[in-house]
Amino acid sequence: MSRVSPGPVAGAATSKVEQAYELIRERIVSGRYTPGYRLVLGALARELGSSPVPVREAIRRLEAESLVAFERNVGATVRGLDPVEYRWTMETLAVVEGAAVGQALPLLTAADLAEARRLNDLMRAELDQPAGEFDTQRFSQLNQRLHRTLAAPCPNPHLLELVDRGWHRLATLRTSVFSLVPDRTHQSVAEHDALLDLIAAGADALTVEAAAREHRAATLRAVLAHEARDPGTTP
């Protein structure tokens, strides 16, 4: 009796797509792949030990998440945020993240507050580096970790989902913003200090929410002011 050879294993194909998706996405979010970086299917497939098919599928998923764009005669590239979309994203994030931090306030522990201060001190230390040695990527990562520390205890999972979506949309632009508006780095650290001092002093949830919201809004104003001075330079 002849045996029928099994067809392709669906799970294996799915796994390759997931591997490609996670690899490319992590490199975009971490800043290793910056806006405009060209995603070469063949090279990524070789790195993953697969055919180009799962890589192409992974890139389609990333395109649906607005992290990747297709350009004629270029192919897939890492997408940046245009000024209009950046404004909408930041305006939304200022509202939902401020609300998340306000709701998280009663659940923030002394350890959470100490961790946030530690992260801000590390950001301050980056600013003290000699000229030319400031690591914008590390500064950005520390900044995101601080924001996550303050919002994470929020008990509303739907609100946290909206915050997380906003963080992911900004992830590809974060380093570029601090490079684009260098003064914003010092201001950001000072605003973190003020926010953490409010929390430590026992400020009410609405006051903390307003301060967290204003912190995001200040970054938006700085970027929009830069765009007004130098149109077309915002990533």
Side-chain angles (χ1 to χ4, degrees):
M1 182 178 179
S2 62
R3 300 178 65 183
V4 178
S5 60
V9 180
T14 301
S15 177
K16 286 293 185 182
V17 173
E18 199 63 33
Q19 286 177 32
Y21 169 82
E22 292 294 342
L23 176 76
I24 299 168
R25 192 179 192 286
E26 188 280 327
R27 290 178 179 179
I28 293 173
V29 171
S30 70
R32 179 172 173 181
Y33 290 170
T34 55
Y37 183 91
R38 186 165 173 252
L39 300 171
V40 182
L41 268 66
L44 287 165
R46 285 192 296 274
E47 182 177 352
L48 289 161
S50 72
S51 74
V53 175
V55 177
R56 186 178 297 110
E57 182 59 32
I59 287 175
R60 286 187 182 131
R61 285 177 59 182
L62 292 163
E63 182 187 21
E65 294 179 15
S66 299
L67 292 174
V68 169
F70 280 93
E71 298 181 33
R72 182 177 297 178
N73 301 323
V74 176
T77 59
V78 175
R79 186 170 181 252
L81 290 175
D82 65 56
V84 173
E85 188 175 357
Y86 176 77
R87 178 172 187 164
W88 290 342
T89 302
M90 282 292 282
E91 286 177 346
T92 303
L93 186 57
V95 173
V96 296
E97 186 178 356
V101 173
Q103 289 194 21
L105 185 62
L107 302 174
L108 279 172
T109 65
D112 293 328
L113 192 57
E115 173 64 5
R117 288 199 184 278
R118 184 185 74 84
L119 292 168
N120 204 41
D121 286 342
L122 290 174
M123 292 175 70
R124 196 183 340 268
E126 281 297 323
L127 297 178
D128 292 336
Q129 294 296 318
E133 294 184 21
F134 172 59
D135 187 339
T136 54
Q137 183 173 332
R138 173 171 165 74
F139 188 89
S140 300
Q141 291 169 345
L142 292 167
N143 181 67
Q144 187 177 71
R145 286 169 60 189
L146 188 155
H147 281 251
R148 287 183 181 275
T149 297
L150 295 180
C154 172
N156 185 330
H158 298 292
L159 187 55
L160 279 179
E161 182 182 352
L162 293 173
V163 173
D164 195 57
R165 189 181 304 169
W167 281 336
H168 284 315
R169 284 297 301 118
L170 291 177
T172 58
L173 190 62
R174 178 66 54 218
T175 298
S176 299
V177 166
F178 287 130
S179 299
L180 198 68
V181 192
D183 287 348
R184 188 61 200 143
T185 55
H186 293 81
Q187 294 164 357
S188 185
V189 169
E191 288 165 14
H192 289 161
D193 281 332
L195 177 59
L196 295 173
D197 286 345
L198 274 177
I199 295 171
D204 62 86
L206 287 178
T207 300
V208 170
E209 176 180 341
R213 182 171 179 173
E214 172 57 23
H215 173 54
R216 284 291 187 186
T219 298
L220 173 60
R221 289 195 298 271
V223 173
L224 293 179
H226 173 86
E227 174 65 16
R229 291 192 301 269
D230 299 293
T233 59
T234 302

